[in-house]
Amino acid sequence: MQLQSAIVDAGGTVVGTETKTVAPVQFATSRTADHYVSLPLGTLAPGDYLLKVEATMDTRVAGRVMRFVVRP
């Protein structure tokens, strides 16, 4: 399974991406797996952002979006 994370600024510009592969052995018996995203907070300008995480396995795609704010 592929996990793609993207940080999008308030103007809709993608300012960071990360792609990881999750192997079948990383899944627990409950069909879950941990995924950690390192946010480059030191390089992001103050403002509103979206963190988008999308999982792709074969033709199936699932995703989540979370809003966060970087303050000066």
Side-chain angles (χ1 to χ4, degrees), residues 4-9 12-19 37-40 43-44 49-53 68:
Q4 169 112 19
S5 302
I7 300 170
V8 182
D9 68 13
T13 301
V14 175
V15 295
T17 62
E18 180 178 89
T19 301
V37 178
S38 297
L39 299 176
T43 62
L44 296 177
Y49 292 88
L50 293 176
L51 171 62
K52 296 181 174 185
V53 179
F68 68 98

Side-chain angles (χ1 to χ4, degrees), residues 2 5 7 9-10 13-15 19-20 22 27-30 32-34 41-42 46 53 59 63 67 70:
Q2 290 287 325
S5 302
I7 300 170
D9 68 13
T13 301
V14 175
V15 295
T19 301
K20 291 184 180 179
V22 179
F27 284 88
T29 56
S30 60
T32 62
D34 291 331
L41 298 177
V53 179
T59 59
R67 180 181 173 272
V70 175

